[in-house]
Amino acid sequence: MRHFPTRRKRRSLALLSLGYGGSMLAFRGTLLLSLPAILEDASDRGRVVSTCQLTYMVVKPVVQALSDDVDARTMLLASEVSTAVVFACLPLASSLRGWQVLVAALMACQAPHAPAATRLLTSHFEQHERGAAFSTMNAATNLVSCVLPFVVVRGTQLLGSWRRLYVTIAAAVAGIALIQALAMDVVANDDVVVGGRETKKPESEEDHLTRPGRSSSSSSSSSLVLVLRRRIV
C-alpha cells in the first residue's frame, strides 16, 4: 500500500484547493455580478448567461469522459492558464456576439479543472482520507463564492472599472497556475515512506515490462515469460 508523509499530503491538498478556489474568481459568479454594468439590455445578458450554461453543460461531461487518457497535471495547468487568457480578453469584446464567443471559450477552458483536480486528489490520498480532502477543496470553492460579491463590487470601485478588475482576476488565476507549476512535483511525487525514511517507490516487474521505451515485441515476450514463470511456481 502506498503511503505519503502527512506534510506532503497537506501541501498537495493546499495546492489543489488554491487552484480550485481561485478558479472561481474567473467563473460564472463574476460574470453574473458584473454583466448589468456591461450590457444594458436584459435580453442580451440572458443570451450571454445561456451561452455560458449551455457550453459548460455540454463540454464538462465530454472532458470528464476524455480525462482518463490525458495527464491530470497537464490538464489542470492548461485549464488554469487558458482560463486566465480568455478572461483577460473579455474586456476586448465589443459586441454581443463577441461576448458569447468568449464566454463559451471561458466555460470550455474551465471544464477540465474539476476532473483534473479530482484525479490528482484520488491518486494521492487513500480511500479513507478522500472525504476530508474533497471537503477541503469544496470549502475553498464555497469560501471564494461567499466573498465574491464583495470582491467584485469593491474591486471595481478600487480599480475604477470592471475591465481592470477582469485583468486583475486573470493575472491572479495565472499566478496560481504558476505557483502550482513550480510546486506540482510535490503533488506528483511517488515517493513512499519506509521505516520513517522516504524512498523511491520500488519498480515492480510488471512496471518494468511496461515501461516506456521498450519495444512492443520485447514487452510481449517478457510478459509471456512472466506468466509462464508464475504458473510454474
Side-chain angles (χ1 to χ4, degrees):
M1 181 179 295
R2 183 178 299 181
H3 299 279
F4 289 85
T6 301
R7 184 178 66 176
R8 178 167 295 149
K9 286 182 179 180
R10 289 177 178 175
R11 293 176 65 184
S12 303
L13 184 57
L15 285 171
L16 293 173
S17 299
L18 176 65
Y20 209 63
S23 66
M24 294 300 296
L25 293 171
F27 203 47
R28 286 185 298 244
T30 303
L31 292 173
L32 293 174
L33 289 168
S34 57
L35 275 179
I38 300 172
L39 299 174
E40 296 181 358
D41 192 342
S43 62
D44 289 345
R45 296 196 296 269
R47 291 188 181 94
V48 171
V49 174
S50 295
T51 301
C52 168
Q53 298 294 87
L54 289 172
T55 303
Y56 197 71
M57 179 189 70
V58 173
V59 176
K60 187 174 181 180
V62 175
V63 173
Q64 287 177 323
L66 297 177
S67 63
D68 291 336
D69 300 322
V70 181
D71 178 67
R73 172 181 174 177
T74 302
M75 182 187 296
L76 182 72
L77 296 177
S79 173
E80 292 176 348
V81 172
S82 59
T83 294
V85 171
V86 174
F87 204 78
C89 292
L90 283 174
L92 302 177
S94 58
S95 65
L96 174 61
R97 185 65 62 189
W99 268 96
Q100 287 180 304
V101 170
L102 287 175
V103 166
L106 179 66
M107 292 300 102
C109 294
Q110 280 275 12
H113 194 128
T118 301
R119 281 190 58 198
L120 286 171
L121 187 146
T122 54
S123 63
H124 291 88
F125 284 84
E126 303 293 343
Q127 185 174 1
H128 66 278
E129 300 171 325
R130 293 171 188 167
F134 275 113
S135 297
T136 302
M137 282 208 312
N138 288 330
T141 301
N142 294 334
L143 176 62
V144 175
S145 299
C146 289
V147 302
L148 189 59
F150 174 80
V151 170
V152 172
V153 174
R154 189 60 176 167
T156 302
Q157 293 174 349
L158 292 176
L159 297 173
S161 69
W162 65 268
R163 291 181 173 85
R164 293 178 181 176
L165 174 67
Y166 274 39
V167 172
T168 302
I169 289 177
V173 175
I176 291 173
L178 178 61
I179 292 173
Q180 289 185 322
L182 294 176
M184 195 61 75
D185 60 318
V186 177
V187 179
N189 200 308
D190 283 336
D191 289 354
V192 296
V193 176
V194 179
R197 296 192 308 171
E198 296 181 10
T199 61
K200 290 293 182 181
K201 184 183 71 171
E203 185 181 35
S204 66
E205 192 167 5
E206 291 86 346
D207 291 338
H208 176 70
L209 294 175
T210 59
R211 183 176 55 192
R214 294 178 61 92
S215 65
S216 58
S217 60
S218 176
S219 177
S220 300
S221 59
S222 300
S223 300
L224 180 59
V225 172
L226 178 61
V227 171
L228 293 175
R229 185 189 308 169
R230 285 179 174 176
R231 289 185 177 181
I232 294 174
V233 173

